[in-house]
Amino acid sequence: MQRYKQVFDNITIMNFHDMTKGGLIEDFYCHAMPDAKNICNKIKMSKNNNDIIKRNPSETIEYMNLLNAAEKRDYIKVTGTSDKKKYNIALQKVKQHQEETLELSSNDFVIKCPPPKVLEELLEKSLQFQKEIVPEFFFSPLGEAALRADFEMKKSARKLCSIDSEAILDTSEWRDFFKSLNEELSKRTV
C-alpha cells in the first residue's frame, strides 16, 4: 500500500463484503468518488425502484471454455478470423447441443475442483489480505466470519470449480460433435 501512496495521493480501498455503506455501487460513487454527487444521489434515490442499478446476472462461461478447449485440440477452428461471427455461431451451437440435443444444462458438465488443501490456502490468503488491507472491517462482526461463510457457500455450491474440458472432450459425443461442427462452419461463409 505504501508503494502506491508514493505515486498516488488519493487511494481509496473498497471492501465489497462491507454492506454498511449501501453496497458496492453506492460505496464507490458516494465514498470512493466523493465528488460524484449527482450519480451518488441518483443511486440513493433509485435504490428501491431499481431505475439505475441494473443487475448483471452471471453468464455461464462453461460453453466458452469447452469451445476454447476443443480448438486447442484442433477439433474446430473458430478464432483468428477478423470476424467474430463464426466464434459466436459455434458458441451458440455448443450451448444448443448441450441444452437441446442432450437435454442437459451447463451445470451437468463433469467438473474438476481444486483439492481441499488448495482451497484452504486460498481462504487463508484471502483472510490475510483482508486483515492487512481493512483490519477494522476484518475484526468486525461482518469481517472474518462473513468471509469464511461466503467462501464456504461458494465451495459447497461448487462455484470454485470449473468444467473438466479434457474429460468432456475425451467422450465420443463431444469429439464427434466438434468435428461435425467444424465441417459445417468451414463450408459456411460468415
Side-chain angles (χ1 to χ4, degrees), residues 2-188:
Q2 294 306 320
R3 205 172 23 174
Y4 295 112
K5 286 184 177 181
Q6 292 172 1
V7 180
F8 302 102
D9 58 352
N10 186 11
I11 297 174
T12 301
I13 296 172
M14 293 182 53
N15 182 349
F16 68 89
H17 293 286
D18 185 356
M19 295 305 197
T20 62
K21 296 177 184 172
L24 186 62
I25 294 171
E26 184 177 327
D27 187 18
F28 179 73
Y29 287 108
C30 299
H31 301 102
M33 294 182 63
D35 294 330
K37 289 176 179 42
N38 288 340
I39 190 73
C40 173
N41 289 333
K42 284 184 180 187
I43 288 169
K44 285 180 178 181
M45 289 181 347
S46 70
K47 268 189 149 177
N48 293 330
N49 61 19
N50 274 342
D51 292 5
I52 293 184
I53 303 170
K54 302 285 186 220
R55 298 291 169 223
N56 183 10
S58 60
E59 289 290 329
T60 180
I61 62 167
E62 281 80 6
Y63 301 119
M64 191 182 312
N65 289 343
L66 186 58
L67 179 58
N68 293 341
E71 187 163 41
K72 283 182 184 173
R73 281 196 179 188
D74 291 325
Y75 289 173
I76 190 166
K77 179 71 175 140
V78 290
T79 58
T81 63
S82 58
D83 195 349
K84 293 193 179 225
K85 282 184 181 178
K86 195 175 194 180
Y87 183 86
N88 290 333
I89 290 169
L91 194 57
Q92 190 58 40
K93 295 274 189 180
V94 170
K95 180 178 181 177
Q96 206 170 28
H97 185 70
Q98 176 76 352
E99 295 178 5
E100 294 173 22
T101 306
L102 300 177
E103 296 180 341
L104 299 169
S105 77
S106 61
N107 294 327
D108 295 313
F109 283 121
V110 176
I111 62 169
K112 59 182 176 184
C113 300
K117 182 176 168 79
V118 172
L119 290 173
E120 187 59 35
E121 289 172 4
L122 181 61
L123 174 59
E124 290 307 316
K125 289 211 182 276
S126 296
L127 291 169
Q128 178 185 357
F129 181 77
Q130 190 180 69
K131 187 177 182 179
E132 289 174 10
I133 300 298
V134 284
E136 65 288 343
F137 181 80
F138 179 79
F139 292 110
S140 78
L142 299 172
E144 180 181 7
L147 183 61
R148 284 183 185 279
D150 184 55
F151 189 87
E152 283 304 315
M153 185 275 301
K154 284 182 173 59
K155 188 169 84 172
S156 63
R158 302 176 350 161
K159 292 189 181 258
L160 302 172
C161 304
S162 61
I163 65 166
D164 189 344
S165 300
E166 298 307 310
I168 295 165
L169 293 173
D170 283 342
T171 66
S172 59
E173 174 68 41
W174 281 100
R175 188 173 48 248
D176 295 345
F177 165 78
F178 277 112
K179 288 183 180 181
S180 172
L181 179 58
N182 192 47
E183 289 173 18
E184 177 189 332
L185 290 175
S186 64
K187 293 176 188 170
R188 185 183 282 219

